[in-house]
PDB file of all heavy atoms in Angstrom:
ATOM      1  N   ASN P   8      17.494   2.933   4.270  1.00  0.00           N
ATOM      2  CA  ASN P   8      18.449   4.053   4.051  1.00  0.00           C
ATOM      3  C   ASN P   8      19.826   3.569   3.553  1.00  0.00           C
ATOM      4  O   ASN P   8      20.476   4.247   2.746  1.00  0.00           O
ATOM      5  CB  ASN P   8      18.640   4.843   5.379  1.00  0.00           C
ATOM      6  CG  ASN P   8      17.472   5.635   5.767  1.00  0.00           C
ATOM      7  OD1 ASN P   8      16.668   6.025   4.879  1.00  0.00           O
ATOM      8  ND2 ASN P   8      17.304   5.911   7.047  1.00  0.00           N
ATOM      9  N   ALA P   9      20.275   2.381   3.972  1.00  0.00           N
ATOM     10  CA  ALA P   9      21.532   1.844   3.527  1.00  0.00           C
ATOM     11  C   ALA P   9      21.573   1.558   2.032  1.00  0.00           C
ATOM     12  O   ALA P   9      22.587   1.613   1.393  1.00  0.00           O
ATOM     13  CB  ALA P   9      21.897   0.618   4.298  1.00  0.00           C
ATOM     14  N   LYS P  10      20.382   1.226   1.501  1.00  0.00           N
ATOM     15  CA  LYS P  10      20.252   0.928   0.048  1.00  0.00           C
ATOM     16  C   LYS P  10      19.608   2.044  -0.757  1.00  0.00           C
ATOM     17  O   LYS P  10      19.379   1.883  -1.931  1.00  0.00           O
ATOM     18  CB  LYS P  10      19.460  -0.354  -0.158  1.00  0.00           C
ATOM     19  CG  LYS P  10      20.155  -1.589   0.445  1.00  0.00           C
ATOM     20  CD  LYS P  10      19.374  -2.873   0.172  1.00  0.00           C
ATOM     21  CE  LYS P  10      20.063  -4.075   0.750  1.00  0.00           C
ATOM     22  NZ  LYS P  10      19.294  -5.345   0.494  1.00  0.00           N
ATOM     23  N   ASN P  11      19.366   3.199  -0.114  1.00  0.00           N
ATOM     24  CA  ASN P  11      18.767   4.336  -0.766  1.00  0.00           C
ATOM     25  C   ASN P  11      17.497   3.940  -1.532  1.00  0.00           C
ATOM     26  O   ASN P  11      17.296   4.366  -2.708  1.00  0.00           O
ATOM     27  CB  ASN P  11      19.776   5.012  -1.729  1.00  0.00           C
ATOM     28  CG  ASN P  11      21.004   5.521  -0.976  1.00  0.00           C
ATOM     29  OD1 ASN P  11      20.871   6.184   0.027  1.00  0.00           O
ATOM     30  ND2 ASN P  11      22.163   5.196  -1.525  1.00  0.00           N
ATOM     31  N   THR P  12      16.637   3.234  -0.852  1.00  0.00           N
ATOM     32  CA  THR P  12      15.468   2.666  -1.508  1.00  0.00           C
ATOM     33  C   THR P  12      14.211   2.936  -0.659  1.00  0.00           C
ATOM     34  O   THR P  12      14.244   2.847   0.581  1.00  0.00           O
ATOM     35  CB  THR P  12      15.604   1.139  -1.686  1.00  0.00           C
ATOM     36  OG1 THR P  12      16.748   0.851  -2.469  1.00  0.00           O
ATOM     37  CG2 THR P  12      14.383   0.527  -2.359  1.00  0.00           C
ATOM     38  N   VAL P  13      13.104   3.239  -1.348  1.00  0.00           N
ATOM     39  CA  VAL P  13      11.831   3.396  -0.705  1.00  0.00           C
ATOM     40  C   VAL P  13      10.822   2.426  -1.334  1.00  0.00           C
ATOM     41  O   VAL P  13      10.921   2.146  -2.550  1.00  0.00           O
ATOM     42  CB  VAL P  13      11.308   4.887  -0.794  1.00  0.00           C
ATOM     43  CG1 VAL P  13      11.081   5.276  -2.237  1.00  0.00           C
ATOM     44  CG2 VAL P  13      10.045   5.028   0.042  1.00  0.00           C
ATOM     45  N   PHE P  14       9.928   1.878  -0.546  1.00  0.00           N
ATOM     46  CA  PHE P  14       8.967   0.884  -0.970  1.00  0.00           C
ATOM     47  C   PHE P  14       7.554   1.371  -0.720  1.00  0.00           C
ATOM     48  O   PHE P  14       7.259   2.190   0.143  1.00  0.00           O
ATOM     49  CB  PHE P  14       9.136  -0.463  -0.223  1.00  0.00           C
ATOM     50  CG  PHE P  14      10.510  -1.012  -0.285  1.00  0.00           C
ATOM     51  CD1 PHE P  14      11.449  -0.773   0.730  1.00  0.00           C
ATOM     52  CD2 PHE P  14      10.897  -1.787  -1.345  1.00  0.00           C
ATOM     53  CE1 PHE P  14      12.718  -1.293   0.655  1.00  0.00           C
ATOM     54  CE2 PHE P  14      12.173  -2.319  -1.435  1.00  0.00           C
ATOM     55  CZ  PHE P  14      13.058  -2.070  -0.429  1.00  0.00           C
ATOM     56  N   LEU P  15       6.639   0.903  -1.533  1.00  0.00           N
ATOM     57  CA  LEU P  15       5.178   1.102  -1.286  1.00  0.00           C
ATOM     58  C   LEU P  15       4.496  -0.223  -1.446  1.00  0.00           C
ATOM     59  O   LEU P  15       4.374  -0.745  -2.580  1.00  0.00           O
ATOM     60  CB  LEU P  15       4.636   2.145  -2.275  1.00  0.00           C
ATOM     61  CG  LEU P  15       3.153   2.477  -2.075  1.00  0.00           C
ATOM     62  CD1 LEU P  15       2.961   3.233  -0.743  1.00  0.00           C
ATOM     63  CD2 LEU P  15       2.610   3.271  -3.236  1.00  0.00           C
ATOM     64  N   GLN P  16       4.013  -0.764  -0.314  1.00  0.00           N
ATOM     65  CA  GLN P  16       3.214  -1.994  -0.377  1.00  0.00           C
ATOM     66  C   GLN P  16       1.737  -1.627  -0.484  1.00  0.00           C
ATOM     67  O   GLN P  16       1.183  -0.901   0.331  1.00  0.00           O
ATOM     68  CB  GLN P  16       3.400  -2.803   0.945  1.00  0.00           C
ATOM     69  CG  GLN P  16       2.606  -4.071   1.011  1.00  0.00           C
ATOM     70  CD  GLN P  16       3.056  -5.127   0.024  1.00  0.00           C
ATOM     71  OE1 GLN P  16       4.250  -5.337  -0.171  1.00  0.00           O
ATOM     72  NE2 GLN P  16       2.115  -5.765  -0.614  1.00  0.00           N
ATOM     73  N   MET P  17       1.091  -2.112  -1.522  1.00  0.00           N
ATOM     74  CA  MET P  17      -0.282  -1.775  -1.859  1.00  0.00           C
ATOM     75  C   MET P  17      -1.116  -3.031  -1.790  1.00  0.00           C
ATOM     76  O   MET P  17      -0.903  -3.984  -2.578  1.00  0.00           O
ATOM     77  CB  MET P  17      -0.397  -1.139  -3.249  1.00  0.00           C
ATOM     78  CG  MET P  17       0.469   0.098  -3.433  1.00  0.00           C
ATOM     79  SD  MET P  17       0.180   0.953  -4.988  1.00  0.00           S
ATOM     80  CE  MET P  17       0.793  -0.327  -6.138  1.00  0.00           C
ATOM     81  N   ASN P  18      -2.081  -3.097  -0.841  1.00  0.00           N
ATOM     82  CA  ASN P  18      -2.943  -4.244  -0.630  1.00  0.00           C
ATOM     83  C   ASN P  18      -4.419  -3.885  -1.013  1.00  0.00           C
ATOM     84  O   ASN P  18      -4.807  -2.732  -0.952  1.00  0.00           O
ATOM     85  CB  ASN P  18      -2.858  -4.727   0.764  1.00  0.00           C
ATOM     86  CG  ASN P  18      -1.472  -5.233   1.204  1.00  0.00           C
ATOM     87  OD1 ASN P  18      -0.754  -5.787   0.358  1.00  0.00           O
ATOM     88  ND2 ASN P  18      -1.092  -5.001   2.443  1.00  0.00           N
ATOM     89  N   VAL P  19      -5.170  -4.898  -1.267  1.00  0.00           N
ATOM     90  CA  VAL P  19      -6.582  -4.786  -1.567  1.00  0.00           C
ATOM     91  C   VAL P  19      -6.780  -3.696  -2.633  1.00  0.00           C
ATOM     92  O   VAL P  19      -7.553  -2.719  -2.407  1.00  0.00           O
ATOM     93  CB  VAL P  19      -7.445  -4.490  -0.307  1.00  0.00           C
ATOM     94  CG1 VAL P  19      -8.912  -4.786  -0.564  1.00  0.00           C
ATOM     95  CG2 VAL P  19      -6.939  -5.346   0.856  1.00  0.00           C
ATOM     96  N   LEU P  20      -6.124  -3.819  -3.762  1.00  0.00           N
ATOM     97  CA  LEU P  20      -6.161  -2.819  -4.788  1.00  0.00           C
ATOM     98  C   LEU P  20      -7.557  -2.756  -5.452  1.00  0.00           C
ATOM     99  O   LEU P  20      -8.207  -3.740  -5.580  1.00  0.00           O
ATOM    100  CB  LEU P  20      -5.108  -3.100  -5.813  1.00  0.00           C
ATOM    101  CG  LEU P  20      -3.682  -2.726  -5.425  1.00  0.00           C
ATOM    102  CD1 LEU P  20      -2.671  -3.400  -6.282  1.00  0.00           C
ATOM    103  CD2 LEU P  20      -3.499  -1.230  -5.437  1.00  0.00           C
ATOM    104  N   GLU P  21      -7.945  -1.554  -5.821  1.00  0.00           N
ATOM    105  CA  GLU P  21      -9.256  -1.265  -6.407  1.00  0.00           C
ATOM    106  C   GLU P  21      -9.040  -0.638  -7.796  1.00  0.00           C
ATOM    107  O   GLU P  21      -7.983  -0.045  -8.049  1.00  0.00           O
ATOM    108  CB  GLU P  21     -10.037  -0.349  -5.540  1.00  0.00           C
ATOM    109  CG  GLU P  21     -10.233  -0.837  -4.125  1.00  0.00           C
ATOM    110  CD  GLU P  21     -10.866   0.189  -3.197  1.00  0.00           C
ATOM    111  OE1 GLU P  21     -10.917   1.351  -3.581  1.00  0.00           O
ATOM    112  OE2 GLU P  21     -11.257  -0.183  -2.093  1.00  0.00           O
ATOM    113  N   PRO P  22      -9.996  -0.723  -8.689  1.00  0.00           N
ATOM    114  CA  PRO P  22      -9.863  -0.058  -9.976  1.00  0.00           C
ATOM    115  C   PRO P  22      -9.548   1.430  -9.858  1.00  0.00           C
ATOM    116  O   PRO P  22      -8.822   1.969 -10.718  1.00  0.00           O
ATOM    117  CB  PRO P  22     -11.229  -0.245 -10.629  1.00  0.00           C
ATOM    118  CG  PRO P  22     -11.716  -1.530 -10.017  1.00  0.00           C
ATOM    119  CD  PRO P  22     -11.250  -1.494  -8.579  1.00  0.00           C
ATOM    120  N   GLU P  23      -9.999   2.101  -8.792  1.00  0.00           N
ATOM    121  CA  GLU P  23      -9.715   3.504  -8.603  1.00  0.00           C
ATOM    122  C   GLU P  23      -8.229   3.779  -8.312  1.00  0.00           C
ATOM    123  O   GLU P  23      -7.828   4.927  -8.373  1.00  0.00           O
ATOM    124  CB  GLU P  23     -10.589   4.072  -7.478  1.00  0.00           C
ATOM    125  CG  GLU P  23     -12.085   4.129  -7.778  1.00  0.00           C
ATOM    126  CD  GLU P  23     -12.756   2.771  -7.748  1.00  0.00           C
ATOM    127  OE1 GLU P  23     -12.217   1.838  -7.168  1.00  0.00           O
ATOM    128  OE2 GLU P  23     -13.849   2.664  -8.351  1.00  0.00           O
ATOM    129  N   ASP P  24      -7.459   2.737  -7.985  1.00  0.00           N
ATOM    130  CA  ASP P  24      -6.016   2.901  -7.765  1.00  0.00           C
ATOM    131  C   ASP P  24      -5.230   2.930  -9.070  1.00  0.00           C
ATOM    132  O   ASP P  24      -4.006   3.158  -9.049  1.00  0.00           O
ATOM    133  CB  ASP P  24      -5.486   1.768  -6.882  1.00  0.00           C
ATOM    134  CG  ASP P  24      -6.083   1.782  -5.486  1.00  0.00           C
ATOM    135  OD1 ASP P  24      -6.208   2.889  -4.903  1.00  0.00           O
ATOM    136  OD2 ASP P  24      -6.458   0.709  -4.984  1.00  0.00           O
ATOM    137  N   THR P  25      -5.870   2.696 -10.189  1.00  0.00           N
ATOM    138  CA  THR P  25      -5.193   2.702 -11.481  1.00  0.00           C
ATOM    139  C   THR P  25      -4.605   4.086 -11.706  1.00  0.00           C
ATOM    140  O   THR P  25      -5.289   5.075 -11.714  1.00  0.00           O
ATOM    141  CB  THR P  25      -6.170   2.315 -12.597  1.00  0.00           C
ATOM    142  OG1 THR P  25      -6.556   0.984 -12.412  1.00  0.00           O
ATOM    143  CG2 THR P  25      -5.480   2.462 -13.972  1.00  0.00           C
ATOM    144  N   ALA P  26      -3.287   4.138 -11.987  1.00  0.00           N
ATOM    145  CA  ALA P  26      -2.590   5.412 -12.172  1.00  0.00           C
ATOM    146  C   ALA P  26      -1.121   5.094 -12.492  1.00  0.00           C
ATOM    147  O   ALA P  26      -0.632   3.989 -12.349  1.00  0.00           O
ATOM    148  CB  ALA P  26      -2.671   6.274 -10.903  1.00  0.00           C
ATOM    149  N   VAL P  27      -0.396   6.149 -12.882  1.00  0.00           N
ATOM    150  CA  VAL P  27       1.061   6.141 -12.965  1.00  0.00           C
ATOM    151  C   VAL P  27       1.558   6.610 -11.595  1.00  0.00           C
ATOM    152  O   VAL P  27       1.174   7.646 -11.121  1.00  0.00           O
ATOM    153  CB  VAL P  27       1.595   6.987 -14.074  1.00  0.00           C
ATOM    154  CG1 VAL P  27       3.142   7.026 -14.025  1.00  0.00           C
ATOM    155  CG2 VAL P  27       1.135   6.506 -15.422  1.00  0.00           C
ATOM    156  N   TYR P  28       2.429   5.794 -10.949  1.00  0.00           N
ATOM    157  CA  TYR P  28       2.980   6.099  -9.637  1.00  0.00           C
ATOM    158  C   TYR P  28       4.355   6.609  -9.796  1.00  0.00           C
ATOM    159  O   TYR P  28       5.226   5.975 -10.394  1.00  0.00           O
ATOM    160  CB  TYR P  28       2.945   4.853  -8.744  1.00  0.00           C
ATOM    161  CG  TYR P  28       1.525   4.504  -8.246  1.00  0.00           C
ATOM    162  CD1 TYR P  28       0.562   3.983  -9.149  1.00  0.00           C
ATOM    163  CD2 TYR P  28       1.199   4.715  -6.940  1.00  0.00           C
ATOM    164  CE1 TYR P  28      -0.714   3.698  -8.675  1.00  0.00           C
ATOM    165  CE2 TYR P  28      -0.098   4.405  -6.483  1.00  0.00           C
ATOM    166  CZ  TYR P  28      -1.031   3.915  -7.353  1.00  0.00           C
ATOM    167  OH  TYR P  28      -2.295   3.596  -6.920  1.00  0.00           O
ATOM    168  N   TYR P  29       4.618   7.789  -9.176  1.00  0.00           N
ATOM    169  CA  TYR P  29       5.930   8.468  -9.312  1.00  0.00           C
ATOM    170  C   TYR P  29       6.647   8.532  -7.963  1.00  0.00           C
ATOM    171  O   TYR P  29       6.019   8.811  -6.923  1.00  0.00           O
ATOM    172  CB  TYR P  29       5.694   9.918  -9.790  1.00  0.00           C
ATOM    173  CG  TYR P  29       5.160  10.033 -11.199  1.00  0.00           C
ATOM    174  CD1 TYR P  29       3.765  10.151 -11.395  1.00  0.00           C
ATOM    175  CD2 TYR P  29       6.006  10.058 -12.293  1.00  0.00           C
ATOM    176  CE1 TYR P  29       3.286  10.283 -12.630  1.00  0.00           C
ATOM    177  CE2 TYR P  29       5.493  10.169 -13.578  1.00  0.00           C
ATOM    178  CZ  TYR P  29       4.129  10.307 -13.749  1.00  0.00           C
ATOM    179  OH  TYR P  29       3.602  10.435 -15.025  1.00  0.00           O
ATOM    180  N   CYS P  30       7.913   8.296  -7.992  1.00  0.00           N
ATOM    181  CA  CYS P  30       8.793   8.414  -6.827  1.00  0.00           C
ATOM    182  C   CYS P  30       9.363   9.811  -6.788  1.00  0.00           C
ATOM    183  O   CYS P  30       9.721  10.379  -7.829  1.00  0.00           O
ATOM    184  CB  CYS P  30       9.920   7.357  -6.898  1.00  0.00           C
ATOM    185  SG  CYS P  30      11.027   7.347  -5.483  1.00  0.00           S
ATOM    186  N   ASN P  31       9.489  10.372  -5.624  1.00  0.00           N
ATOM    187  CA  ASN P  31      10.038  11.708  -5.413  1.00  0.00           C
ATOM    188  C   ASN P  31      11.044  11.688  -4.214  1.00  0.00           C
ATOM    189  O   ASN P  31      10.843  10.966  -3.285  1.00  0.00           O
ATOM    190  CB  ASN P  31       8.896  12.678  -5.051  1.00  0.00           C
ATOM    191  CG  ASN P  31       9.377  14.039  -4.615  1.00  0.00           C
ATOM    192  OD1 ASN P  31       9.594  14.311  -3.439  1.00  0.00           O
ATOM    193  ND2 ASN P  31       9.540  14.944  -5.594  1.00  0.00           N
ATOM    194  N   ALA P  32      12.120  12.449  -4.367  1.00  0.00           N
ATOM    195  CA  ALA P  32      13.138  12.526  -3.278  1.00  0.00           C
ATOM    196  C   ALA P  32      13.727  13.893  -3.168  1.00  0.00           C
ATOM    197  O   ALA P  32      13.882  14.610  -4.157  1.00  0.00           O
ATOM    198  CB  ALA P  32      14.227  11.496  -3.530  1.00  0.00           C
TER     199      ALA P  32
END
């Protein structure tokens, strides 16, 4: 919150995870 930042840690990625990832606030 102090840095106004959100993270997404993605592990064991699969071909089905292929996409454009969008941030929303």
Side-chain angles (χ1 to χ4, degrees):
N8 289 334
K10 296 183 178 180
N11 299 312
T12 302
V13 63
F14 305 96
L15 183 68
Q16 179 67 44
M17 304 186 294
N18 297 326
V19 197
L20 284 163
E21 304 170 350
E23 292 74 20
D24 296 316
T25 296
V27 177
Y28 285 71
Y29 295 93
C30 182
N31 172 271

